[in-house]
Amino acid sequence: MQTQLTTEHLSPELAQQFLEGLPTSIRTALESRAEAMNYPVWAIIEMAIAGYLDDEALSFVDCKPKLN
């Protein structure tokens, strides 16, 4: 059975466009974090935004979330 992303997540294509618009230092930091956590960069961007908007949101310091 193949897992599909829901529309509630940032698409990999949109994440790439977002990254391309960021300063190099920020883009590199997000990509490095994604690699270190072994997560797709779109998930890292989602966690960063969610953590900014909601103090109780899943963040980098939490256990590795399970991606669906």
Side-chain angles (χ1 to χ4, degrees):
M1 175 179 234
Q2 186 177 17
T3 304
Q4 289 184 306
L5 296 177
T6 67
T7 57
E8 295 179 20
H9 291 285
L10 182 63
S11 73
E13 297 81 15
L14 186 56
Q16 188 59 43
Q17 289 176 348
F18 180 74
L19 283 173
E20 290 170 6
L22 292 173
T24 303
S25 60
I26 296 172
R27 181 175 57 245
T28 301
L30 288 169
E31 291 170 338
S32 294
R33 175 64 75 158
E35 186 176 331
M37 291 180 69
N38 197 29
Y39 271 48
V41 73
W42 64 261
I44 300 302
I45 294 170
E46 279 190 9
M47 280 191 268
I49 293 169
Y52 175 76
L53 296 174
D54 181 358
D55 290 341
E56 295 182 18
L58 190 62
S59 71
F60 303 121
V61 297
D62 294 318
C63 297
K64 291 180 72 174
K66 183 177 180 179
L67 296 175
N68 296 335

